[in-house]
Amino acid sequence: TVLAILLGNMDENGKPLSKNALKKLKKAEEAKKKKEEKEAQKKAALAAKVASGDVAPKKNTFAGAAEEDVDPTAYFENRTKALAALSVEGLNPYPHKFHVKQELGEYVTAFSGMENGKRDEETSSSIAGRISSIRQQGKLLFFDLNGDGTKVQVMTDAKTYGDEAAWSQICSILRRGDILGVTGYPGKSKKGELSIFPKSMQLLSPCMHMIPRNGIKNVEIRFRKRYLDMILNPDIRNIFKVRARIINYVRMYLDERNFLEVETPMMNTIHGGATAKPFKTIHNELKMDMFMRVAPELYLKTLVIGGMDRVYEIGRQFRNEGMDQTHNPEFTTCEFYQAYADYTDLMEMTEQMISGMVKDITGDYKIKYTNEDGPIEIDFTPPWKRISMLDGLKEEISKRHPGVAIVMPEVADLGKECAKDTLVALCKAIGVEPKPPITVARLVDQLVGDYLEEICIHPTFIMDHPEVMSPLAKYHRDRTGLT
């Protein structure tokens, strides 16, 4: 029994296996091992044949099919040898130029209205893209070209290509992932697939590594190898497009209101404008320690002092702190400042800018967003909800802990030690573990994150921050201790 436990020889109920069951298990493991060894020998033999050029594919089968099951390392070696052989034959796998008459998106727009099964042999076009798949049906070969977020099918055979020897040569060297240039005429297959029927094809850039067939499941690999993720998932391109439209809209909105865009230094001798830990670097020429900026605030305010009444900057900030789904050490912000305005004016501007941007990009104020809890709807319709921070915090804590007496510090006492003691006692009463450093500002911020921010599904302004949290902000008109 002890041996069975140590070896993991237990059944699904946690009981040790019988002798017969152990024999069957051992036999199955031996069979599995033999099968793996046999598969390894097959792959090694196939790799050797491909490398030596002795592979004899079935008639009309493109040569790349023989390499689909080859080990990735052997694939790279085989590809390198094949390209070296091309160079010996005088063919350049990396040509200097290929004239593209139409981008793939333009090609789709121009010819998507053709009838099924029709071909326009009077019209010539040249397109280029990355091969995402290669298929064969009888004597026909099909290549899917991807680019610009769209796809065009290449439909070819030796007869329509014209030069059978040239056709065989180009088809024998093409693999998934290659960049291919095609010159030919447009048409549609009988099933309605928009295609190009090539008169000539040219390898523009070979892919040296095997492209995964079933995508990438590992999120870490997807983010570290973004280029591979984009090859396998063309829809990722839309994220970049939306981001570009967001930045362009913000810039247009502020420019139309006479704001001037500026660029301020990213390296500073002191780090200011936000409470954050900076990245440190060294200026070799000046022999000076410097910090990557954590915020552009101070420089922008000096520009306002200098007479620029409306300024803004869209740029990168660097904070040497933790990482999670909502925090990144390097990120982009937009900060804008306007003289002769107060925070109510800026809230109205922010509301107009963001809601207008959502309407412009999506066509509606409401969008669907999927988080870890599932899909939710976010409504950007103005006006947005406004919550006074401390009042809203007390109200929400009271809702969640109806049996607990909620004691909040007086606003006038927030700068005193007694306020910290009151907040620590409150955290203990409601089961919240304070995170160091334990200060009034940090405690309030933690409670706001745990209680107020969680209920802000739709855009919401959390107003009236305590002065201890926003020391550079204008004091409140009516409530002492708030901003």
Side-chain angles (χ1 to χ4, degrees):
T1 303
V2 174
L3 181 61
I5 294 171
L6 291 174
L7 294 176
N9 297 328
M10 312 288 287
D11 64 15
E12 59 185 6
N13 298 316
K15 296 180 180 180
L17 295 171
S18 65
K19 288 184 179 181
N20 288 336
L22 283 170
K23 284 181 181 180
K24 289 181 180 179
L25 180 63
K26 187 178 179 181
K27 195 173 181 180
E29 288 175 351
E30 289 176 353
K32 182 180 177 184
K33 188 177 180 181
K34 286 182 180 179
K35 186 177 179 181
E36 289 174 350
E37 289 175 353
K38 195 173 181 181
E39 288 293 329
Q41 289 174 0
K42 277 185 179 180
K43 287 188 177 181
L46 179 60
K49 285 183 179 180
V50 173
S52 63
D54 293 334
V55 172
K58 294 178 182 178
K59 190 177 180 181
N60 298 325
T61 300
F62 65 96
E67 295 186 351
E68 288 296 328
D69 296 323
V70 171
D71 177 82
T73 303
Y75 183 93
F76 175 79
E77 293 174 354
N78 296 340
R79 201 88 225 263
T80 303
K81 291 176 182 177
L83 295 178
L86 282 181
S87 300
V88 171
E89 294 174 11
L91 298 176
N92 183 8
Y94 300 99
H96 288 88
K97 172 75 175 176
F98 177 81
H99 179 63
V100 176
K101 286 185 179 179
Q102 293 174 302
E103 294 183 354
L104 294 186
E106 294 173 340
Y107 185 88
V108 171
T109 302
F111 303 113
S112 59
M114 296 182 68
E115 294 181 19
N116 295 356
K118 295 292 184 180
R119 304 183 185 186
D120 184 1
E121 299 185 14
E122 301 300 320
T123 301
S124 178
S125 184
S126 58
I127 59 176
R130 186 182 296 276
I131 300 174
S132 61
S133 71
I134 304 176
R135 306 178 304 281
Q136 182 173 15
Q137 183 178 344
K139 296 180 179 180
L140 284 174
L141 274 180
F142 302 89
F143 303 92
D144 285 342
L145 290 191
N146 283 71
D148 302 322
T150 189
K151 181 192 78 171
V152 172
Q153 177 179 263
V154 180
M155 188 174 174
T156 182
D157 61 59
K159 184 178 179 180
T160 58
Y161 195 80
D163 187 336
E164 187 170 348
W167 182 84
S168 297
Q169 183 184 51
I170 186 67
C171 291
S172 69
I173 62 175
L174 292 178
R175 304 290 185 271
R176 290 185 304 112
D178 289 351
I179 304 294
L180 177 66
V182 181
T183 300
Y185 53 88
K188 278 191 175 182
S189 67
K190 292 180 180 179
K191 293 183 178 180
E193 182 84 17
L194 179 62
S195 306
I196 185 168
F197 298 86
K199 303 302 289 184
S200 68
M201 295 187 287
Q202 185 177 10
L203 176 63
L204 305 181
S205 179
C207 180
M208 302 302 294
H209 296 275
M210 187 183 293
I211 301 294
R213 271 198 168 279
N214 301 315
I216 308 173
K217 307 300 182 193
N218 190 309
V219 177
E220 184 78 9
I221 295 177
R222 287 186 61 187
F223 283 100
R224 289 193 180 277
K225 296 186 177 182
R226 205 54 158 153
Y227 57 90
L228 185 58
D229 186 30
M230 293 175 68
I231 290 172
L232 296 171
N233 302 294
D235 291 342
I236 296 295
R237 178 186 176 91
N238 293 331
I239 297 175
F240 292 84
K241 283 184 175 181
V242 171
R243 183 185 185 278
R245 291 185 66 182
I246 288 171
I247 293 176
N248 288 338
Y249 188 93
V250 171
R251 185 172 279 121
M252 177 196 71
Y253 179 91
L254 294 172
D255 288 346
E256 287 177 350
R257 287 157 180 78
N258 297 320
F259 281 79
L260 181 66
E261 184 176 10
V262 297
E263 289 185 345
T264 60
M266 285 194 176
M267 293 190 298
N268 308 305
T269 53
I270 59 171
H271 56 283
T275 305
K277 185 178 180 181
F279 285 94
K280 188 176 180 180
T281 186
I282 297 174
H283 195 303
N284 291 331
E285 183 67 22
L286 299 178
K287 296 180 176 60
M288 182 186 295
D289 289 340
M290 302 194 79
F291 302 97
M292 302 299 290
R293 72 179 181 191
V294 296
E297 179 177 335
L298 300 182
Y299 281 109
L300 292 174
K301 285 182 174 178
T302 60
L303 291 174
V304 175
I305 293 170
M308 292 187 180
D309 290 344
R310 298 186 179 199
V311 295
Y312 75 96
E313 180 173 9
I314 298 174
R316 306 293 277 180
Q317 319 305 329
F318 308 88
R319 300 185 181 182
N320 196 3
E321 297 178 340
M323 297 172 61
D324 57 38
Q325 287 186 334
T326 58
H327 294 85
N328 200 41
E330 178 183 355
F331 56 97
T332 302
T333 66
C334 172
E335 286 203 22
F336 64 92
Y337 291 86
Q338 177 181 347
Y340 317 116
D342 65 5
Y343 76 131
T344 58
D345 297 315
L346 297 187
M347 281 194 294
E348 289 177 6
M349 282 184 62
T350 302
E351 190 176 83
Q352 292 173 3
M353 180 197 298
I354 303 300
S355 61
M357 175 201 304
V358 172
K359 184 73 179 291
D360 181 73
I361 294 175
T362 68
D364 194 1
Y365 287 122
K366 298 178 180 180
I367 65 171
K368 298 289 184 181
Y369 176 75
T370 302
N371 61 13
E372 56 188 12
D373 298 323
I376 58 173
E377 183 179 79
I378 302 177
D379 189 356
F380 287 85
T381 305
W384 296 350
K385 186 177 180 180
R386 287 159 166 75
I387 298 176
S388 182
M389 180 179 279
L390 296 181
D391 294 341
L393 186 58
K394 184 175 182 179
E395 180 182 345
E396 188 60 28
I397 293 175
S398 299
K399 284 182 183 177
R400 295 203 204 176
H401 304 278
V404 179
I406 308 301
V407 180
M408 298 284 290
E410 295 294 329
V411 174
D413 296 332
L414 287 175
K416 301 177 182 178
E417 189 69 20
C418 60
K420 184 175 77 172
D421 296 337
T422 303
L423 288 170
V424 169
L426 174 61
C427 288
K428 185 177 180 181
I430 60 179
V432 173
E433 183 68 30
K435 299 176 183 177
I438 299 177
T439 63
V440 171
R442 291 280 186 174
L443 289 169
V444 173
D445 184 63
Q446 182 179 347
L447 290 171
V448 168
D450 290 345
Y451 288 89
L452 275 189
E453 291 181 5
E454 284 193 356
I455 64 169
C456 297
I457 305 299
H458 308 296
T460 306
F461 288 112
I462 299 179
M463 307 163 49
D464 306 334
H465 292 215
E467 287 182 353
V468 293
M469 298 180 70
S470 303
L472 299 179
K474 180 81 76 173
Y475 62 86
H476 200 281
R477 291 175 174 83
D478 306 314
R479 302 177 65 181
T480 303
L482 302 182
T483 59

